[in-house]
Amino acid sequence: MAADDRLEDDELARRLREAHRRVRMLPAAEKERIARRYLAICDVAKRDPERAAVRLEAFLASLDDTFDTPRDEENTPGD
């Protein structure tokens, strides 16, 4: 393994830890389904770090879209 590969692996590990932290903080109703998806990404990371990095980015983006969007009552016109 070249030194550059190690740096990329460290970045992937950091992002996986970030994702784990975010999954851990989810409400129980969403946590189980999302945790399974996270574990699948971790499994891919063992064999194909590049593919795992792509999947992890999509996973984190979906977390942002799902849980960081305003609720409907916050978007009512006239507020």
Side-chain angles (χ1 to χ4, degrees), residues 13-57:
R14 185 188 65 74
R15 300 287 289 168
L16 285 168
R17 283 191 303 271
E18 174 188 341
H20 179 263
R21 179 188 56 79
R22 291 181 65 185
V23 169
R24 210 176 58 229
M25 295 183 338
L26 293 173
E30 291 94 10
K31 188 185 290 190
E32 185 177 344
R33 177 183 55 84
I34 293 172
R36 276 192 236 118
R37 187 172 168 203
Y38 169 74
L39 289 174
I41 294 168
C42 290
D43 190 47
V44 170
K46 296 173 190 176
R47 297 181 310 273
D48 190 350
E50 291 173 6
R51 183 171 176 224
V54 171
R55 288 182 66 183
L56 181 59
E57 285 303 313

